[in-house]
Amino acid sequence: MAISIRERRAQGALQRWLRRTALASIPMIGLCGCGDSCEITHQSQDGQTDGGVVWAAGSQHPAADCGPYCRPGYHDPCFDTVLTGCLAKNATGALTCQYEMTRCVPQPCGRLPAGLLAAAPVAPSVAGAELASRAHLEGAAVFAFDALERELIAHGAPPLLVERARKAQRDERRHHRAMSALAARYGARPAPVAVETPPVRTLVEMAVENAAEGCVRETYGAMEAVVQGETAGDRAIGKVMRAIAADEADHADLGWAIDVWARTRLSRAERARLDDACGTMTPQSYSPELTALLGLPPPEVAACLMNAIA
Ligand SMILES: [Fe+2]
Ligand SMILES: [Fe+2]
C-alpha cells in the first residue's frame, strides 16, 4: 500500500517532534523536574457469584467477600489493579466489581495486548531481568498489533492503517529479537509471551485501548527510546535503542492516526470515553545504576515528557 506524500509528511512531523522533545529533556537529567506522583483511577467490571451466595440487590460488599467472584478481565503489567469491593446488581448473583488502578508503570510500556499473561524472566542480575522484561513486552507488542490488525479489518478501517499495523508486527518481532539478545549478554532469558486473545471487540473498545496503548504509551515509549539511544551507559543498548526509537515513533503516529479515524465513526459519548482514556502515566523509578546503564529518563524527566505528550 503506497503512502501519499501528505501522509508521509504528517508522519515525519510527529517523529521530528518526538525526537526534538526527547532530546530537549536530556539536559534536565539530574535536575529537578515536574514531580512523579502516581495516578489512581477507578474502574468497574461485571462479575457473577456462583449461585450459592445470595446478596440483596444494591448491597455493597468488601473486597474480601468479592474476591472469589471478581477477576480482572486481563492482566496488564502497566497497571497495579486492586479489587476494592463489589455491588450486588440484582438477586440473581450479578455483580459490579470495583477496582482501583494505579498507573506506576514498568518501562517501557509500548502497545500491550489485552489478555497478556504475567511472566517472570530467568535472570541472574537486575540489569538482565530488566532487559528480559523489556524483551517480553516487545514480544507482547507483536500480539497487540496482530489483534489491532484484525480489529481494524473487522471495523472497515482504511487499508493503509491495516498495512501499518502489519508492518508494526514485523518491527516488534525485530525489537523482541534485539532486546532478547541484549538480555542474553547479561545472562538473562525473557519468558515466553502468552496471550489469551479476546474476540474482536467493538470499535469504541478498540479505540479506548488504542488511546491508552498507542497514543499515550507508544508516544512515551518513542521518546524514552530516543533518550536511551543517546544516554545509555552500555553502548550496545544505545545502538539498539536508536534503531527502535524510529520504529516506535512510527507506531505512536499510527496510534494517533487510528484515533483520528475512529473518532469519525463514534458518537459524542463514545468520543468522551476516548478523551478519558488518554490520561497520563507515571513511569517507575529505578536505581541510579540501572538508570545510567540503560539510559532511562529519571522520574522527573519522564514526568516532563509525559506532560509534553499531555
Ligand atoms: Fe517495540
Ligand atoms: Fe511499538
Side-chain angles (χ1 to χ4, degrees):
M1 171 66 54
I3 300 178
S4 72
I5 291 172
R6 196 171 158 202
E7 285 160 341
R8 208 178 282 281
R9 274 196 191 139
Q11 283 179 35
L14 179 68
Q15 291 183 5
R16 285 192 297 279
W17 179 82
L18 288 174
R19 185 167 172 76
R20 217 172 37 237
T21 306
L23 290 176
S25 77
I26 291 174
M28 290 166 41
I29 291 176
L31 302 176
C32 261
C34 304
D36 60 350
S37 60
C38 294
E39 181 186 331
I40 296 174
T41 57
H42 295 91
Q43 289 200 3
S44 56
Q45 187 177 299
D46 288 343
Q48 183 77 33
T49 64
D50 59 11
V53 175
V54 179
W55 284 334
S59 57
Q60 178 71 38
H61 301 273
D65 294 347
C66 309
Y69 315 113
C70 291
R71 299 262 179 259
Y74 62 93
H75 171 76
D76 183 339
C78 289
F79 292 87
D80 182 16
T81 304
V82 175
L83 178 67
T84 55
C86 64
L87 179 75
K89 290 164 74 174
N90 55 42
T92 64
L95 302 173
T96 299
C97 303
Q98 298 147 339
Y99 298 94
E100 185 174 88
M101 322 267 295
T102 305
R103 299 172 185 234
C104 295
V105 299
Q107 299 177 358
C109 254
R111 187 180 283 269
L112 298 176
L116 176 63
L117 303 179
V122 176
S125 66
V126 174
E130 183 58 32
L131 289 165
S133 130
R134 284 161 181 265
H136 180 259
L137 295 181
E138 296 285 7
V142 178
F143 287 83
F145 279 112
D146 176 62
L148 181 66
E149 179 194 340
R150 278 185 284 107
E151 293 187 326
L152 286 171
I153 292 170
H155 294 299
L160 177 62
L161 295 181
V162 176
E163 176 52 37
R164 290 181 68 187
R166 211 169 280 143
K167 175 195 171 287
Q169 290 169 57
R170 296 194 292 273
D171 295 341
E172 301 294 9
R173 272 193 200 95
R174 209 166 49 244
H175 301 175
H176 178 60
R177 283 196 298 272
M179 292 301 291
S180 298
L182 287 177
R185 291 176 71 238
Y186 289 82
R189 197 174 66 240
V193 179
V195 178
E196 288 176 354
T197 305
V200 169
R201 296 162 296 180
T202 63
L203 177 62
V204 68
E205 286 169 338
M206 185 204 85
V208 163
E209 183 188 82
N210 176 69
E213 303 290 339
C215 299
V216 177
R217 289 191 205 150
E218 291 233 79
T219 304
Y220 177 79
M223 293 205 286
E224 183 190 66
V226 171
V227 174
Q228 285 190 267
E230 299 300 321
T231 65
D234 180 331
R235 290 169 66 174
I237 294 176
K239 186 176 174 194
V240 167
M241 294 316 298
R242 283 195 292 279
I244 286 180
D247 291 337
E248 295 302 347
D250 197 32
H251 301 172
D253 185 85
L254 173 59
W256 290 104
I258 290 171
D259 190 72
V260 168
W261 165 76
R263 281 173 190 272
T264 65
R265 307 272 303 268
L266 296 174
S267 68
R268 182 191 291 247
E270 289 170 331
R271 290 198 298 275
R273 278 186 64 188
L274 287 197
D275 294 336
D276 289 344
C278 286
T280 59
M281 58 182 218
T282 304
Q284 183 179 328
S285 58
Y286 295 97
S287 71
E289 296 77 25
L290 193 60
T291 299
L293 183 75
L294 271 61
L296 295 167
E300 64 275 13
V301 173
C304 284
L305 293 177
M306 280 308 306
N307 281 353
I309 295 173

